Structure formats: C-alpha cells, structure tokens
Amino acid sequence: MEIKVPSVGESVYEALLGKWLKKNGEAVRKDEPVCEIETDKITMEINAEADGVLTIMAPEGATVKIGAIIGIIAEGRVAAEAPAPAETGVPKEAPPLSPAVRKLAQEKGISPETVQGTGRGGRVTVDDLLKGGEQPQLFASGAPAVTPAPPPIDLKEPAEERVTRTPMTPIRKRIAERLLAARQQTAMLTTFNEADLGRVMELRKKHKEHFQKKHGVSLGFMSFFVKACVEALKEFPAVNAAIDGNDIVHHHYYHIGIAIGAEKGLVVPVIRDADRLSFAGIEAAIAGFVEEIKTNRLELSDLQGGTFSISNGGVYGSLLSTPILNPPQSGVLGMHAVQERPVVRDGQIVIRPMMYLALSYDHRIIDGREAVGFLKKVKEYVEEPEELFLEG
C-alpha cells in the first residue's frame, strides 16, 4: 500500500516532509501516525491505512508534491529482527535491506555493511545512507573507528564558516509573506489603552472551581476578551469589515481568530459565531485548538474565515507590543501581561492589576475615532465584566 501526500487545499501544491515517526523497516499498524508533513498553512500527520512493514521512499526535509508517493506499507509482512553481534565483537551477517535502502546504496556506491544502522535491530535505514558515512563505521573487530580530534579553532576563519544555514519551512515562509503583505498592502495604525483586570480576576477566583466542575474546562482571560470584542464589534461594525477590491464587505457574524503559538510558528484558528457561544463554549473551543495543534490534527478549515483576531503576547511576558493585521481582516487586538502598577482612583494612588491593550487597524476603512471608540468599549467591558459573565 502506497503512502501518498494528501491534498490539503486547492492552493497547496507541495509540502515539506518534516519527520518520520516510524523507522524504515519498522512494523506499523492501521491508523498509527507514520510521518508529519508541513505545508504553507498547516502541519499534519499521515496515518497508516493498513498493518504491515514500512519502507521509506523520501527522506526527512524533502519537498514533495501533493500526491507523491513517500513510502510503502507491505501488508501482512513482519519486521525482520537483526541478529545480535557475537560475543567476540565480530558482527554477524547484516540483516535484510529494504528495497529503498538497497536502491539508494547502489546509487551512492555505498556498501551497507560499512554503515552502522540506527533502525530496529540495527537495520540500515535510508537516513543512515543519506548521512554518507558520517556515523562511525565498524572494523572487523567490531570496535568503532577512532575519530580524530577536531582541529584548533582558527579565529581568523571567515564568519560564514561558523554559521548554520537551513531553509525556511513552508509555514515560516507563509508567515513571512503574510506579515510583509500586511505591512505593504494595508494602512496599518495602532492605538493603545490599558485595562484594570481586578474585577475579572475576582470573578475568576470566585467561579473558577465551580466553572471547572460544571463545564470541564478552566475559566481563563481569553473568554472575557472574546465576549468583550464581540460586543464592541457590534457597536463598531467597521472593525469587523474587510476590503475586497473596491468594495467594503461588512460581516454580520463574528468569527474570532485566536493566535496560538506552536512549535513551528504562530497559527490563528477561528472560533466561529463566537457571539452565540457561552464562556464555557469559548474556553472549550480554545482548549480543543491547543490540543489539535499539539497533536498535529488542526485542519485547514480551522484557520479560514476569521473576521477579527486576538493575540495574547502576555503569556510570554510581553508588556507592550504592536500586533500585525491578519489580512483580509481589518483589526487585531493585542493583549499583554497583567502587571500590578500604581494608578489613581478617586484621587488616591492604589496598586491595581493592569494590562496594556493594543488595537492595530486598517486605516483605509477604520477611522481613528472608531478605533479608539472600539478599544475603549473593550476596556469598559473587561473592567466591568459582570454583565458579560451573567449573559454568558
């Protein structure tokens, strides 16, 4: 059975074979993940469609076309165990080689017996051959070859010889392209404000345990801000709009993108119809996205169709930043770290848990008055969240 690169979208034509989760010649079971692929939009796992033995046809890091065959599963076969070395240290006869390894060895002119295998039972894999003998070879005595000491560092050698150059992954390329496009193709401005999170923190502390028991999810900050943004978007619809050619498209629904940091880059899955969800529904949706990202099960459809986005740099300790638009959206809210600061309340200096807020917006369709009004409305809702919380 052939393992092919699946189609993941009309505009995606190739992918990066990121990592093999199984080794060449290893037994796999049906529905078991065998490899990870990356496109310019998403990272996903490919599962085995049958029980059998895996033969790897394409190495990690290779760029492969959609529909290309990257591996074969020989159904019904059992992975051969390599014999253990004799006690004298002289290796026994090498284990059987897979067709892919045998073919690659012939092309490269490498004798597989001289390469130390890292596969199951010491089998030589395609990766072992691709490394071109970088691993220590075995003498007849079974002792590893002696590696010469590295030469002393020449401080006069060119800097270029002391750098590592790796190609950008498809996802990182796409992120770079979109960030550059946001700068070049929009009239982006940012307005700032700050919010007192005292009442939100009190509500969370009061209801957290009951909320967890009742709904099975934690009550976080993000659901308050999603609710606040939805209500503010209803009052300032231009912030929920987008430019399409010479038209302004006003959305009468609220699909809120939530920026989540992943190992390979930032992704923005979309909570659809957030205005119809409760606090528990929003928190459950976010938790589901986080789990899907960790297990590479996030689908392309999860990233499409957003009308407004929220990014929380505060989880990394950011105190203040300028979020970048996620085209074609016209607005993005930046949340930041909560920090106790002295503020004036009723003529008195008091210490309150404060958060800086930033709204980046496309000035082509959103005026400064609307942007400032929107951000002030978000501030009001999170500073007096009881109404939102009771409704949600």
Side-chain angles (χ1 to χ4, degrees):
M1 177 170 290
E2 297 173 338
I3 303 174
K4 296 183 178 180
V5 181
S7 175
V8 292
E10 293 182 358
S11 61
V12 180
Y13 305 104
E14 62 182 20
L16 179 75
L17 207 170
K19 179 168 60 176
W20 282 102
L21 305 176
K22 293 291 181 178
K23 295 180 180 179
N24 192 63
E26 188 173 355
V28 297
R29 294 194 175 278
K30 184 178 180 180
D31 297 327
E32 188 177 22
V34 293
C35 68
E36 291 180 1
I37 64 168
E38 300 177 27
T39 72
D40 60 358
K41 302 180 188 301
I42 198 170
T43 297
M44 63 181 295
E45 292 180 347
I46 298 180
N47 295 338
E49 296 184 3
D51 295 347
V53 175
L54 173 67
T55 297
I56 294 175
M57 306 297 292
E60 293 181 354
T63 299
V64 289
K65 301 292 185 182
I66 299 300
I69 299 172
I70 58 176
I72 295 175
I73 296 177
E75 298 180 59
R77 287 181 53 192
V78 179
E81 293 285 345
E87 293 182 1
T88 58
V90 180
K92 291 186 178 179
E93 183 180 355
L97 301 175
S98 69
V101 170
R102 191 177 299 110
K103 182 174 181 295
L104 185 61
Q106 293 175 349
E107 293 175 352
K108 288 185 166 288
I110 299 174
S111 175
E113 292 76 14
T114 65
V115 178
Q116 183 176 348
T118 60
R120 185 174 181 179
R123 291 171 66 97
V124 177
T125 68
V126 170
D127 284 343
D128 297 332
L129 293 180
L130 289 175
K131 291 178 181 178
E134 293 177 4
Q135 303 180 52
Q137 297 182 349
L138 294 180
F139 292 136
S141 64
V146 177
T147 303
I153 298 176
D154 182 2
L155 298 180
K156 296 181 180 180
E157 67 177 313
E160 291 79 5
E161 296 183 7
R162 289 186 284 155
V163 300
T164 300
R165 185 183 296 271
T166 57
M168 295 175 71
T169 65
I171 288 181
R172 180 52 61 184
K173 285 182 185 177
R174 185 61 173 167
I175 291 173
E177 291 170 359
R178 290 183 65 83
L179 293 179
L180 187 61
R183 285 290 191 181
Q184 295 177 338
Q185 300 172 15
T186 66
M188 194 182 86
L189 290 180
T190 304
T191 185
F192 301 93
N193 212 316
E194 63 178 352
D196 186 335
L197 272 289
R199 290 195 182 180
V200 167
M201 296 176 73
E202 290 172 6
L203 277 174
R204 287 185 66 213
K205 183 178 180 180
K206 180 179 179 180
H207 297 280
K208 188 174 183 179
E209 185 175 348
H210 175 72
F211 192 92
Q212 175 73 44
K213 290 180 179 179
K214 182 178 180 179
H215 302 292
V217 290
S218 297
L219 178 60
F221 285 134
M222 187 59 76
S223 51
F224 286 93
F225 280 90
V226 170
K227 284 283 189 181
C229 285
V230 166
E231 296 305 314
L233 289 171
K234 291 178 181 178
E235 298 188 40
F236 297 91
V239 186
N240 200 45
I243 291 180
D244 183 13
N246 294 322
D247 299 329
I248 297 177
V249 180
H250 289 277
H251 303 110
H252 303 292
Y253 52 88
Y254 305 92
H255 291 354
I256 308 299
I258 305 297
I260 300 175
E263 182 180 352
K264 298 179 177 69
L266 192 73
V267 292
V268 190
V270 177
I271 301 176
R272 304 189 185 283
D273 296 312
D275 56 316
R276 302 179 183 179
L277 296 178
S278 64
F279 274 73
I282 293 171
E283 293 292 351
I286 295 172
F289 286 141
V290 171
E291 181 61 27
E292 289 176 353
I293 291 170
K294 287 181 179 178
T295 56
N296 291 319
R297 291 186 290 110
L298 194 69
E299 298 181 359
L300 186 60
S301 59
D302 293 327
L303 307 175
Q304 299 174 331
T307 61
F308 182 82
S309 291
I310 302 175
S311 178
N312 185 7
V315 296
Y316 304 110
S318 173
L319 190 61
L320 188 63
S321 64
T322 302
I324 296 182
L325 291 173
N326 184 20
Q329 297 172 27
S330 299
V332 54
L333 177 74
M335 299 166 54
H336 299 90
V338 178
Q339 185 183 55
E340 289 193 341
R341 295 197 294 270
V343 295
V344 178
R345 294 286 185 268
D346 300 323
Q348 300 293 321
I349 297 177
V350 295
I351 304 299
R352 300 295 297 170
M354 305 297 293
M355 174 189 286
Y356 287 119
L357 302 177
L359 175 73
S360 291
Y361 61 99
D362 192 339
H363 205 1
R364 293 178 298 169
I365 61 172
I366 302 173
D367 295 330
R369 177 187 62 83
E370 293 173 303
V372 172
F374 172 87
L375 193 56
K376 286 178 64 178
K377 187 59 63 175
V378 171
K379 167 187 169 72
E380 291 172 9
Y381 278 122
V382 296
E383 288 190 335
E384 298 182 2
E386 288 81 4
E387 182 179 353
L388 291 175
F389 191 66
L390 289 174
E391 290 180 354

